[in-house]
Amino acid sequence: MTATAMRTHLCGKLRAEHIGQTVHVCGWVARRREHGEHLAFIDLRDHAGVVQCVVDNSIDVRSEYVLRITGVVRERPAGTANPNLPTGDVEVGDCTVEVLHGATPPPFPIDARADDVEETTRLQYRYLDLRRERMQKNLRVRAAVNSAIRRAMEDQGFVEVETPMLVPSTPEGAREFLVPARKEPGSFYALPQSPQLFKQLLMVAGLDRYYQIARCLRDEDLRADRQYEFMQLDVEMSFVSQDDVLDAISVAVLAATEAVTGEPPPPIERITWHEAMDRYGVDKPDLRFGMELVELTDVFGTTEFKAFAGAASIKGIRVAGAAGEYGRNQLDKLTARAKELGAKGLVWLKVAADGSFDAPVAKFLAVDEAAAVSDRLNASPGDLLLIVADEWMTAVEVLGQLRSDLGRPPVHEGPYRFVWVVEFPMFVGTDELGRPKPAHHPFTMPRTDDLDLLESDPMKVRSQAYDLVLNGWELGSGSIRIHDAAIQRRVFAVLGIAEEEADRKFGFFLNPFEYGAPPHGGFAVGIDRLAAILAGEENIREVIAFPKTQSGADPMTGSPLPVDPDQLAQLGIRLMPRAT
Ligand code: ASP
């Protein structure tokens, strides 16, 4: 399959079974060593790996020259086999070398040493960076993920439909990229944050099961797990309950994981949002490690210790065996971190050899309180116990972050622990005008048993929204949608979107529902994040062929760039002077 008019084999695929065969291989010079005038060793690299070629005369080739080498595969002389190289038992001898293209010396070595090169330089010469084994592997992991997903979705009867890239502006939560409309000066398209509204209209259109590996665009500050443009497995299904959606998506992400690891992962667990917050202090728990938050509120119900007395919630975590590592200085830093995260303070207790607590606050704890803390947290000598007393949300979030800071393994370690987080609240927090903010997007259906609370106590309403989490990364979200226009208008009202505004902005979306909308729900999985975790990378840029830097630039093409005044004039745009 990999043979072409120019080559018979891939460099990295030659093995002992090929000994005796005459082969043509093509690739780049990874390394060249001259042995006097009559012998040169060339390590030739293609995407499959490197093979050693022995040339019986001196030859003028340099690093990264593109060659076609014809020769005979032979066993390496006794004692020179390289067990670290998949092709290390063999070499290509009696070589004839054709130079297909010369090469300027590259700005960094095309191997693992480039991992330490500044990222901007790697991105400026991305086509060289991508030649490297790590990056070749990452792009292929990504392709395997996409292809397994497509197969799994099609096997389940999903139909791939493409949706437009030039869309109206919609309130899905993120800042949008705008595209000026040349024929309608002053009007703009938006680039889609996701195909959300279109996929819902496909349900009204009777598609029944839609999927798309879709490009989404959001003008948000970039982070390790965020790019302006990213890919989603986007899904919508009709006549379903939450379980149907979770099942269909589980099949796809488990198939993608197996395609990369070769092993079927265990079925995906479920946890409610409240339980996730209560036990892990975060709505995207990393289940690869324990250190769960432990309930201590009742232990201190009648305490005289001021820091705990009357606290709404008291939670603790145990950092096993860490007492010795944490001197005064580090403990001060931990306390400062807890305060920066919003806690009033942090109580720490070191467990001494006899099981008693070694800490300045220990004397304020009653004997039975200390015993209960020890017991609940399963404390042993040498452990460090961290306790926060505050409002429930603050206590769990602060300890959840400390749990992650102190215990979270690197991304390439540990098993793949997917988890569904279900029963999200409908709204979290409020905007500057004090209106509830949607936890998911405004098209999410509240739980029917909570509908009565929508106007009277919106913050108590739970939604039919769910997230998929893998090893502490949020892989995606989805929900059962509102398919009843009256409920949609009530939700808009809670969000402060007036009827007139709703009609103007979403008429195109809401009116079609009047023609018969099936109950429906869906989901979107972030493919960049899934591919990054499966490739063992901490940053999604490592699994994207041509990403932007943290500041949104592309050092290779130089974009974003100013455009000609003519182009702007055609669009009816005049630039304001830049703020200095
Ligand atoms: N459009 C949503 C998102 O991008 C996913 C969904 O609700 O299906 O997060």
Side-chain angles (χ1 to χ4, degrees):
M1 253 190 1
T2 45
T4 65
M6 301 190 72
R7 71 176 175 217
T8 56
H9 293 80
L10 291 172
C11 302
K13 294 283 185 207
L14 292 176
R15 298 288 184 276
E17 74 200 57
H18 300 112
I19 288 172
Q21 291 183 25
T22 298
V23 296
H24 303 282
V25 283
C26 297
W28 288 261
V29 175
R31 211 148 77 98
R32 179 208 49 156
R33 284 152 295 148
E34 301 277 352
H35 280 252
E37 275 178 31
H38 300 298
L39 197 58
F41 288 92
I42 295 172
D43 288 347
L44 198 66
R45 175 192 354 96
D46 61 20
H47 72 263
V50 164
V51 70
Q52 174 169 293
C53 302
V54 184
V55 185
D56 288 327
N57 45 41
S58 88
I59 168 155
D60 186 20
V61 297
R62 310 272 161 87
S63 281
E64 301 307 314
Y65 270 36
V66 186
L67 308 183
R68 177 179 191 238
I69 294 184
T70 303
V72 178
V73 182
R74 63 191 191 199
E75 195 177 356
R76 289 204 191 184
T80 64
N82 179 353
N84 299 322
L85 202 62
T87 61
D89 288 335
V90 298
E91 60 188 17
V92 181
D94 300 325
C95 290
T96 315
V97 176
E98 270 172 79
V99 175
L100 303 176
H101 208 289
T104 309
F108 48 77
I110 309 297
D111 56 33
R113 285 172 291 173
D115 289 345
D116 302 326
V117 170
E118 214 200 330
E119 196 189 20
T120 319
T121 310
R122 287 178 55 205
L123 292 180
Q124 184 182 352
Y125 298 94
R126 189 58 155 181
Y127 43 87
L128 298 180
D129 190 34
L130 292 178
R131 267 186 209 164
R132 304 185 306 126
E133 187 183 342
R134 170 184 175 199
M135 304 310 286
Q136 289 281 326
K137 186 201 89 189
N138 287 356
L139 291 188
R140 282 159 214 276
V141 162
R142 188 186 178 106
V145 165
N146 276 330
S147 124
I149 284 176
R150 285 214 155 85
R151 227 168 315 138
M153 296 315 287
E154 269 150 35
D155 286 350
Q156 298 184 86
F158 286 82
V159 180
E160 181 159 22
V161 182
E162 288 148 18
T163 50
M165 292 301 279
L166 297 176
V167 302
S169 174
T170 50
E172 282 182 66
R175 186 183 298 119
E176 292 166 323
F177 285 99
L178 295 177
V179 180
R182 179 175 53 84
K183 298 212 159 159
E184 204 64 61
S187 289
F188 292 80
Y189 303 99
L191 298 177
Q193 300 183 41
S194 84
Q196 186 62 36
L197 301 186
F198 290 95
K199 69 176 172 176
Q200 291 194 240
L201 292 182
L202 286 172
M203 297 301 104
V204 178
L207 256 288
D208 195 68
R209 289 186 165 212
Y210 143 93
Y211 91 101
Q212 180 182 193
I213 297 204
R215 187 172 297 274
C216 304
L217 295 109
R218 298 181 190 175
D219 187 358
E220 294 179 309
D221 288 343
L222 304 187
R223 299 188 311 220
D225 61 355
R226 218 189 245 167
Q227 281 275 303
Y228 288 151
E229 10 182 344
F230 57 96
M231 302 303 289
Q232 285 188 341
L233 159 63
D234 193 46
V235 173
E236 199 70 18
M237 308 166 74
S238 288
F239 305 113
V240 289
S241 71
Q242 175 173 302
D243 281 354
D244 295 305
V245 181
L246 267 47
D247 288 348
I249 298 291
S250 297
V251 168
V253 294
L254 293 178
T257 306
E258 184 172 356
V260 176
T261 63
E263 281 170 31
I268 304 182
E269 298 168 48
R270 284 186 203 183
I271 186 172
T272 64
W273 174 86
H274 190 273
E275 195 183 347
M277 296 303 293
D278 207 46
R279 287 170 57 192
Y280 302 99
V282 67
D283 60 6
K284 43 182 182 176
D286 188 340
L287 303 189
R288 287 177 301 165
F289 67 108
M291 274 174 76
E292 283 188 30
L293 279 50
V294 171
E295 181 60 60
L296 299 172
T297 318
D298 56 314
V299 170
F300 295 99
T302 56
T303 192
E304 305 208 332
F305 178 34
K306 279 221 186 71
F308 289 174
S313 177
I314 305 178
K315 297 268 179 187
I317 55 171
R318 178 174 76 106
V319 195
E325 291 163 44
Y326 282 81
R328 202 57 221 219
N329 211 352
Q330 280 103 321
L331 289 164
D332 286 348
K333 277 197 191 135
L334 268 188
T335 307
R337 170 87 171 132
K339 286 186 178 163
E340 169 196 309
L341 292 166
K344 291 196 244 333
L346 177 72
V347 167
W348 56 264
L349 300 163
K350 290 183 177 185
V351 187
D354 63 359
S356 67
F357 292 147
D358 174 12
V361 304
K363 58 178 176 290
F364 300 121
L365 305 187
V367 176
D368 58 329
E369 290 168 354
V373 167
S374 257
D375 185 52
R376 294 263 175 101
L377 281 160
N378 228 337
S380 336
D383 289 348
L384 173 67
L385 312 181
L386 303 175
I387 304 177
V388 173
D390 220 303
E391 293 305 317
W392 174 76
M393 191 64 135
T394 309
V396 297
E397 282 189 335
V398 170
L399 274 181
Q401 188 57 54
L402 294 181
R403 168 184 180 266
S404 172
D405 289 355
L406 301 177
R408 191 159 174 209
V411 69
H412 61 268
E413 244 177 55
Y416 299 105
R417 292 293 303 272
F418 286 96
V419 56
W420 285 109
V421 181
V422 298
E423 286 184 25
F424 267 76
M426 186 76 184
F427 308 100
V428 274
T430 46
D431 66 11
E432 31 328 315
L433 298 175
R435 297 177 304 208
K437 287 199 296 193
H440 193 43
H441 50 58
F443 315 108
T444 298
M445 181 67 184
R447 271 178 63 126
T448 36
D449 43 347
D450 288 352
L451 265 179
D452 288 348
L453 300 171
L454 201 52
E455 288 80 11
S456 56
D457 199 352
M459 300 314 278
K460 280 238 172 71
V461 177
R462 287 163 302 169
S463 71
Q464 299 188 50
Y466 29 84
D467 272 7
L468 179 61
V469 173
L470 171 56
N471 294 1
W473 294 44
E474 184 199 321
L475 275 193
S477 338
S479 58
I480 296 299
R481 322 299 183 187
I482 299 171
H483 77 285
D484 172 340
I487 299 179
Q488 183 66 71
R489 284 179 205 283
R490 283 173 64 192
V491 169
F492 279 151
V494 176
L495 296 173
I497 302 177
E499 199 146 324
E500 172 277 325
E501 186 186 356
D503 284 340
R504 182 163 43 84
K505 284 195 176 155
F506 312 114
F508 83 94
F509 173 64
L510 297 177
N511 297 340
F513 279 42
E514 308 295 337
Y515 290 93
H520 60 286
F523 199 78
V525 182
I527 289 183
D528 309 87
R529 292 182 184 178
L530 178 57
I533 298 171
L534 293 174
E537 294 286 1
E538 300 277 359
N539 195 311
I540 60 170
R541 298 201 283 272
E542 303 296 357
V543 295
I544 297 174
F546 299 108
K548 306 279 187 288
T549 59
Q550 191 92 10
S551 57
D554 175 3
M556 186 178 75
T557 62
S559 74
L561 290 164
V563 294
D564 289 340
D566 277 3
Q567 259 176 304
L568 288 179
Q570 280 185 34
L571 296 169
I573 291 179
R574 199 163 48 220
L575 297 179
M576 300 208 302
R578 268 178 88 132
T580 45

